[in-house]
Amino acid sequence: METCCNVLIRDIRTSGDDILNLLMECAEELPHKDALYGALVGLINLEDANFVAKVVKHVHDALQDALGVGNCNKLRIMLRFLSVLMSSNVISPEALVGIFGTLLSSAATTIDEDKGNPAWQPRADFYIFCILASLPWCGLELTERAPEELEQVLAGVEAYLKLRRTIGDLSRSPFRSSTNEEKMTSDQDFMEDLWSRIQVLPESGWKVESVPRPHLSFEARLVTAETHDLGSLVCPDTPSFDSITTAIAFGRQWQEAEEKYPQRMRRLHIFPSSKSEEKMAPIDRFVVEEYLLDVLHYLNGCRKECATYMVGLPVPFRYEYLMAETVFSQLLLLPKPPFKLIYYTVVMIDLCKALPGAFPAVVAGAVRSLFSRVDEMDVECRMRLIQWLSHHLSNFQFVWPWEEWAYVLDQPKWSQHRVFAQEVLEKEVRLAYWEKIKLSIQSVPKLVGLLPPKNTPSFKYSGKQPDVSETELALSTELLSMIKAKKTVREIQAWIEGKMMSNHELAIEVVVQCLLHVGSKSFTHLVTVLEKYGQLVSKLAIDQTWQVVVVEAVARFWKNSSQMTAIVIDRMMGYRLLSNLAIVKWVFSEANLQSFHTSDRVWEVLQNALSKTTSRTSDLRKEVISARKYHEEAIAATVKAQTNLETAQGLLETSSSEDSRVHATAKVEFARSMLDKKKEKETSNQESLEAKEALLARALYEQEGLFILIFQSFASVITQHILVNENEGLSTEETMDVEGASEIEVDESNIDGERRNQRHKRLRSNGAPKQRDSQAEEQLQWQTCTLEQLQAIARHYSAEVWLLAERLDAEVLGDDVHPSVVKALYSGLNRPQE
């Protein structure tokens, strides 16, 4: 460090700005090394106080900017950096405590019902979190140099925690029930948990093993250095509370605040604490989690460097189990992970390669633990875990001890363990080919029964079929020949009208089958045929009813491939051949209801439709903002051009000589031509803005209709399902007994596959359950899966759904809707039931 300090001091005079910028980039983007950078700045302060004054000002400005725009990560890291600067005597303890006091005061005001806005508690919580998260880096020095001020800060935090509203995380947990370790902290939310870890630090003298203290080696010199003024911070005003008159308005603001200041992590206990927290104090676990999350965040574009830094943290103990839990906690974070799923996949792969002797076994243990609890796992988390595991295995030759999961074949088709294994194999087939995956499970040949059918199209007119008439076969043959002959759309449309319009459903079946047959060779063939002949489908699918028929025809053609079914429907929606409403109606059609709990096929199609609809709205909203900005610039340019014209005209009026009048006239003509151009541009920009606003209004209308239809469909099928069960004698009491039985089995969640298999055999040997009980279990599983899909959609798209809260209450959640539907929807929105 002294060598580095001497080199920097030598170059500060010639490259001071570059060094300052580089130092700030390192402090922000490699925050697990902030203690080192803080000590380095402290050493430089002994030789060049002016440069360090610039560093302090830069940190202050960065903090103020982060507060103003709500940059959570920058605010948290800069506050940590200030803490280590205080430890190195660059700023005074009073200055740091003053910053803490500003944040504490703002947080307390926010949750005050008279002066603030309790709906913005997430922001207040974040401010307090930043204070508490900084204390491991500065608590020891504050205890020695400003003990009374530290006590005041801690007392203020404690008072805040007593006043704030405890945040329930039921709908944000990856599991429906808790293990014994999770139950130990179930009464605490994330703020209370961190506070409990901070409270025990005074007992250990504020010593944190995971926080390096390099400044102690230079303490005798650093205490002689000059301390710098920091200046005060100004926290942004809290949005007004006066307009919040209803629970819905309060919920909308809470959701807005939560989206801007999200909870960074929800701790996931995969392993016993004896493994994940081996030789770690509670605060050390928090600090190591912070290190790992910082590396994941700031190095998200450099996955190999990310893995390298993650395995080389400056801590004196092993943390492979904790590292796996942290990555999985981000992968399964609800409502959304910070980054795309693929990022965590490649990081996990690189971690396995970086620690080949340790980490692969840890990951395998995590998968076994998560699989043992998959029947309690949130449906969205289960789908993410399936996608991750299939992709992960594809990078390691699809090697997995499938014999451990062989017992799932003895379970019913709706068992979530069986569905999980089935979906993993299906996703693996997508990433390779059917024969390759069959070979990977050759150690358990009977698992072939879980493989999907071979990925081949089901062309109805490939030859004589029992259910295909000679007329149909002749029509398809003729249509295929016309397509291969590259006939125009108009020619084929005329042929269809002449040959098949008397039987509309037959026309759709033949056209869709033939077009998909031509496009089945590759994705490029599919895109080409839809672009060229998609109008044939749009002419036949004239309304939603016929569009549903088209979707059914697509599903029949690709019944052996969930992937191609989803791709074709998605492309047809992109080309506006199908509406999102028609797709929703197909998803909730009678033919698909019984697969809600045994396959992710229809849910993938529904998620694609939702994603495409909301993405289009988001893109249009950005375009409107951009167009509005250009329009405002054009207005300003027009005003300026008008001013220039008036100035030129005034110059012409005051001209006395012939030359000056000629010169002034030329200026007037030029200014008038520029004004005409600016007005023309303003008009063009205004027309563009109005067109984009009209498109956005239409997209928002379609999006609103889509969500209303989805929730109406959920409410209808779930309520009807429950009523039918009750009429057949499957009462609520019986289903509750089944649900209770699943919770009793939680204590066995960590047993391995062989022991679970033995347990299932014992159950069967003691007497097979009655058919009625089995039916009740299946119906309960259907109900649970469908309700969780409803909750997942409300949670994932909470920003859009909150805007429809009044309509949902009026049009969807009527008195005839089962209470479980209301509970699931409200839970997804984190909205308390009234």
Side-chain angles (χ1 to χ4, degrees), residues 58-278:
H58 202 103
V59 175
H60 174 273
D61 293 344
L63 264 174
Q64 187 61 67
D65 180 64
L67 274 172
V69 300
N71 187 333
C72 296
N73 287 297
K74 192 171 186 177
L75 176 59
R76 179 177 49 79
I77 296 304
M78 287 296 101
L79 200 58
R80 183 193 301 177
F81 191 48
L82 270 184
S83 299
V84 297
L85 289 179
M86 186 279 299
S87 299
S88 298
N89 203 41
V90 175
I91 63 173
S92 66
E94 291 76 16
L96 180 62
V97 171
I99 297 297
F100 288 166
T102 300
L103 296 176
L104 188 57
S105 175
S106 174
T109 302
T110 298
I111 64 171
D112 189 303
E113 293 187 0
D114 296 327
K115 300 178 182 179
N117 182 352
W120 276 77
Q121 181 182 307
R123 186 176 74 178
D125 281 350
F126 177 72
Y127 287 172
I128 301 301
F129 174 85
C130 287
I131 295 172
L132 294 177
S134 301
L135 291 179
W137 280 265
C138 64
L140 177 60
E141 286 71 23
L142 286 177
T143 302
E144 296 173 349
R145 299 167 59 187
E148 294 182 1
E149 289 84 350
L150 176 60
E151 286 298 325
Q152 290 177 359
V153 170
L154 295 178
V157 170
E158 187 173 16
Y160 170 83
L161 293 175
K162 289 179 179 178
L163 293 175
R164 69 185 283 272
R165 177 184 303 187
T166 300
I167 300 175
D169 267 351
L170 292 179
S171 68
R172 304 297 190 259
S173 171
F175 299 102
R176 292 193 293 273
S177 57
S178 304
T179 63
N180 293 332
E181 290 190 31
E182 291 166 343
K183 288 177 181 177
M184 293 173 63
T185 58
S186 60
D187 295 334
Q188 296 179 326
D189 66 5
F190 74 106
M191 289 293 295
E192 294 166 340
D193 174 76
L194 177 56
W195 174 240
S196 67
R197 294 170 190 264
I198 294 293
Q199 280 182 305
V200 301
L201 282 179
E203 300 174 5
S204 61
W206 288 90
K207 294 180 180 178
V208 183
E209 292 187 19
S210 54
V211 175
R213 299 187 179 278
H215 64 280
L216 295 179
S217 302
F218 313 101
E219 190 172 17
R221 295 163 55 190
L222 293 176
V223 294
T224 64
E226 175 187 350
T227 58
H228 299 270
D229 293 331
L230 183 59
S232 59
L233 290 179
V234 179
C235 292
D237 295 331
T238 304
S240 174
F241 185 63
D242 298 336
S243 61
I244 302 181
T245 57
T246 65
I248 291 177
F250 182 92
R252 282 181 182 143
Q253 285 213 9
W254 184 287
Q255 186 276 329
E256 181 184 352
E258 201 173 41
E259 187 172 5
K260 194 169 184 179
Y261 299 90
Q263 185 176 331
R264 196 174 184 213
M265 178 183 177
R266 289 178 173 82
R267 193 167 286 113
L268 189 62
H269 295 279
I270 299 177
F271 305 103
S273 58
S274 58
K275 287 186 176 181
S276 60
E277 298 180 9
E278 183 180 4

Side-chain angles (χ1 to χ4, degrees), residues 518-735:
V518 174
S520 63
K521 294 181 180 179
S522 68
F523 181 74
T524 304
H525 283 78
L526 173 65
V527 171
T528 302
V529 76
L530 288 180
E531 287 179 349
K532 188 172 183 179
Y533 295 111
Q535 292 181 35
L536 299 176
V537 178
S538 62
K539 292 286 186 181
L540 292 171
I542 53 179
D543 56 29
Q544 286 183 23
T545 302
W546 291 114
Q547 287 177 10
V548 173
V549 175
V550 171
V551 180
E552 291 173 347
V554 172
R556 281 193 296 272
F557 184 86
W558 284 112
K559 64 182 181 181
N560 294 332
S561 175
S562 299
Q563 181 183 22
M564 287 307 301
T565 301
I567 288 175
V568 173
I569 294 174
D570 182 72
R571 297 310 303 172
M572 284 186 164
M573 181 181 169
Y575 291 132
R576 294 280 180 168
L577 307 179
L578 298 173
S579 70
N580 49 22
L581 301 181
I583 294 172
V584 172
K585 289 184 176 180
W586 173 78
V587 167
F588 289 94
S589 63
E590 191 67 31
N592 291 323
L593 291 182
Q594 297 309 312
S595 65
F596 276 11
H597 59 316
T598 60
S599 172
D600 292 337
R601 179 186 180 101
V602 295
W603 300 122
E604 182 180 1
V605 172
L606 181 61
Q607 286 293 345
N608 287 347
L610 272 168
S611 177
K612 189 174 286 291
T613 301
T614 54
S615 296
R616 181 169 181 267
T617 303
S618 177
D619 292 343
L620 285 172
R621 190 176 279 113
K622 293 176 183 177
E623 290 180 12
V624 167
I625 293 173
S626 178
R628 190 173 288 125
K629 178 183 177 182
Y630 290 143
H631 182 51
E632 291 171 354
E633 291 175 353
I635 292 175
T638 302
V639 171
K640 184 177 180 180
Q642 181 66 40
T643 303
N644 292 339
L645 176 60
E646 292 173 356
T647 302
Q649 289 174 338
L651 183 64
L652 178 62
E653 292 174 359
T654 57
S655 299
S656 56
S657 64
E658 184 66 24
D659 289 341
S660 61
R661 280 196 295 273
V662 171
H663 184 65
T665 300
K667 280 191 173 183
V668 169
E669 291 176 354
F670 176 76
R672 185 173 286 113
S673 66
M674 291 302 296
L675 178 60
D676 291 339
K677 290 181 180 179
K678 297 301 181 184
K679 284 184 176 180
E680 183 180 348
K681 187 174 182 180
E682 179 186 344
T683 302
S684 174
N685 286 344
Q686 182 175 356
E687 291 174 353
S688 175
L689 174 60
E690 291 174 353
K692 291 183 184 301
E693 287 178 336
L695 288 173
L696 176 60
R698 179 183 174 186
L700 288 171
Y701 176 78
E702 292 178 355
Q703 177 178 288
E704 185 173 325
L706 174 65
F707 279 109
I708 293 295
L709 179 60
I710 287 175
F711 292 127
Q712 284 177 338
S713 301
F714 270 116
S716 175
V717 298
I718 293 172
T719 301
Q720 184 178 1
H721 180 270
I722 294 175
L723 290 176
V724 169
N725 288 342
E726 290 178 351
N727 292 335
E728 292 180 357
L730 298 176
S731 66
T732 306
E733 294 181 359
E734 290 178 351
T735 55

